[in-house]
Amino acid sequence: MASDLHTHTRCSDGLLNPEELIEAAKEAGLNYIAITDHDTVNGVCQLYEAGLYPAKGIKIIPGIEFSAHHETQEIHILGYNIDIYDKNLTDRLNDVVEGRWTRFSSMVQKLQEMEYDISETDVLEIAGDSTSISRSHIAQALVRKGYFHTVKECFDEVLEKGRPAYVSHYLLQPEEIIDLIKQSGGIPVLAHPKLIKDDALVEHLLKQGIEGVEAFYPKHSPEDTERYVAMANKYNLMITGGSDFHGIEGRMPKKLGEFSIEDSYAAEIYREPNI
Ligand code: AMP
Ligand code: MN
Ligand code: MN
Ligand code: MN
């Protein structure tokens, strides 16, 4: 049987709302699914408050994906089994999400100065009720307006770190993220290490209190996976994996279940909900 420990909902930059995601996961035959939205636990809260977590027929793991501060690289840290109502965690998340709103305005302004005819409303139409506003929403708005063929092309030309419309937002340091996850009862896992593009930095991060490595990831080659599994073993860390499903047009995987991992990895992470 199959599992997926990395997925997004409309609460960050995914397409499906949490309820639809769980339905899609059941249809795909997944046994375990983790919801790991960027800088928010709203998706898991929505399920819980609608009486849909815990769920029948599938084991849901409450999760999150933090973006960490770094000068040049993109570092993402997953947190599993965090207490979604932990006051310290939700306070810090509010700070981060607020920073995302300021940064969103600055990026739209920069794009306007670059002569792109785009408004905050154009982006908000795509973001819907997401509180964790993202470059991904801006990219989709620019594609919809016909400036780029794909979201990827838009990132490559203007939105990537170092490109002209990029603006950083308020980001926590990796060490603070790791501590926040742990003090709210969670397991910190280094997300998609290949995307950090620097294995020396990956190894450095693994020594900062991280407890798992996302070795299985769609953009990892079999050799990458083997290397990260070996690194996890070297530092005695858990091995995880997930599809990073967003459901956005043109982004792989298209369907939930297309990329999955063995249940045994998810079973190691899963805790019975005590609510
Ligand atoms: P943000 O968290 O606002 O900095 O935006 C980053 C999000 O944009 C990521 O979570 C991805 O979903 C998406 N993203 C980042 N880089 C790319 C890329 N090169 N192509 C497509 N989507 C990307
Ligand atoms: Mn994303
Ligand atoms: Mn990520
Ligand atoms: Mn992700």
Side-chain angles (χ1 to χ4, degrees):
M1 289 289 275
S3 295
D4 191 340
L5 296 177
H6 190 155
T7 67
H8 294 273
T9 76
R10 282 191 80 75
C11 293
S12 64
D13 59 350
L15 178 74
L16 304 181
N17 67 43
E19 200 174 332
E20 291 167 337
L21 182 83
I22 297 305
E23 280 313 305
K26 284 187 195 170
E27 268 168 43
L30 295 178
N31 250 342
Y32 295 85
I33 184 166
I35 297 180
T36 53
D37 275 314
H38 300 286
D39 301 329
T40 178
V41 290
N42 280 356
V44 186
C45 291
Q46 282 179 18
L47 285 178
Y48 177 60
E49 283 159 21
L52 298 169
Y53 167 69
K56 284 205 181 78
I58 190 160
K59 295 186 179 77
I60 301 171
I61 298 172
I64 190 162
E65 181 176 21
F66 277 99
S67 302
H69 181 265
H70 191 272
E71 282 307 312
T72 53
Q73 308 307 113
E74 299 265 5
I75 298 171
H76 291 179
I77 298 173
L78 297 158
Y80 295 113
N81 301 325
I82 32 129
D83 172 0
I84 54 173
Y85 293 112
D86 180 274
K87 172 91 169 66
N88 198 22
L89 176 70
T90 49
D91 279 355
R92 293 305 272 143
L93 287 177
N94 283 339
D95 296 340
V96 171
V97 157
E98 213 171 284
R100 279 184 172 275
W101 283 98
T102 321
R103 175 257 212 152
F104 149 67
S105 287
S106 315
M107 285 188 76
V108 168
Q109 204 177 334
K110 264 199 171 185
L111 286 160
Q112 287 166 349
E113 284 160 15
M114 290 162 69
E115 310 284 313
Y116 288 99
D117 175 20
I118 184 172
S119 67
E120 293 194 0
T121 312
D122 294 330
V123 181
L124 294 177
E125 269 174 22
I126 285 168
D129 55 7
S130 167
T131 53
S132 185
I133 197 107
S134 153
R135 278 181 289 164
S136 185
H137 299 123
I138 299 175
Q140 288 171 72
L142 287 167
V143 169
R144 185 186 272 185
K145 291 225 144 192
Y147 287 114
F148 300 96
H149 294 294
T150 62
V151 163
K152 183 179 182 313
E153 186 187 305
C154 178
F155 267 87
D156 289 347
E157 294 202 16
V158 292
L159 302 183
E160 281 280 8
K161 219 168 192 175
R163 303 303 298 163
Y166 178 78
V167 176
S168 179
H169 61 94
Y170 174 62
L171 292 161
L172 308 181
Q173 298 295 334
E175 296 77 7
E176 185 184 355
I177 294 170
I178 293 165
D179 284 350
L180 255 184
I181 293 171
K182 285 185 178 170
Q183 63 86 37
S184 55
I187 304 170
V189 170
L190 189 65
H192 41 61
K194 179 67 181 291
L195 303 196
I196 296 178
K197 298 181 185 146
D198 177 353
D199 274 359
L201 175 57
V202 168
E203 287 219 45
H204 169 76
L205 290 163
L206 296 185
K207 292 184 252 180
Q208 309 299 308
I210 287 272
E211 294 178 353
V213 183
E214 190 178 49
F216 299 102
Y217 188 73
K219 287 185 180 152
H220 289 178
S221 69
E223 294 74 29
D224 294 329
T225 300
E226 208 176 301
R227 196 170 65 256
Y228 295 122
V229 165
M231 259 190 223
N233 289 333
K234 177 177 169 187
Y235 294 105
N236 206 14
L237 307 173
M238 277 186 252
I239 294 160
T240 77
S243 68
D244 209 356
F245 175 76
H246 283 70
I248 298 171
E249 179 77 27
R251 183 169 172 154
M252 295 298 284
K254 277 205 173 94
K255 267 194 76 196
L256 206 56
E258 262 175 22
F259 181 97
S260 61
I261 59 166
E262 297 266 337
D263 283 350
S264 56
Y265 300 107
E268 250 195 80
I269 298 273
Y270 182 75
R271 300 280 170 271
E272 284 295 334
N274 64 1
I275 42 180

